[in-house]
């Protein structure tokens, strides 16, 4: 999975594997996720992004 966070905030979440792109004029935080299983996701808003990350951390891991 590849994940990119577009943000204008100085305070950045400490999430392993997350690439952060800081853009001063970004309207709101947006997370772009590219995953073979999930496909392409675009999640807008810090609250929704944190909910998504929380779900990923708590989801049981399956081996391929």
């Amino acid at each position: 999975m590849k994940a990119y966070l577009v943000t204008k905030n100085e305070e950045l979440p400490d999430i392993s594997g997350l690439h952060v792109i800081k853009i001063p004029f970004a309207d709101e935080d947006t997370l772009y996720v590219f995953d073979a299983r999930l496909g392409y996701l675009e999640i807008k808003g810090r609250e929704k992004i944190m909910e998504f990350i929380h779900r990923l951390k708590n989801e049981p891991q399956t081996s391929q």
Side-chain angles (χ1 to χ4, degrees):
M1 173 174 23
K2 291 190 178 189
Y4 301 88
L5 174 64
V6 175
T7 184
K8 65 179 174 184
N9 296 319
E10 293 297 322
E11 298 174 18
L12 303 174
D14 183 25
I15 301 167
S16 160
L18 178 67
H19 304 282
V20 178
I21 303 167
K22 289 173 66 174
I23 301 176
F25 51 84
D27 287 336
E28 66 179 323
D29 291 349
T30 305
L31 179 66
Y32 299 95
V33 179
F34 303 92
D35 183 76
R37 188 180 54 130
L38 298 171
Y40 165 77
L41 296 172
E42 179 180 306
I43 303 168
K44 292 188 176 234
R46 187 166 285 256
E47 187 175 308
K48 289 182 182 178
I49 291 169
M50 295 314 292
E51 286 174 15
F52 176 76
I53 292 169
H54 181 71
R55 273 189 276 135
L56 280 180
K57 286 182 178 179
N58 292 325
E59 184 178 278
Q61 300 299 313
T62 57
S63 60
Q64 299 288 325

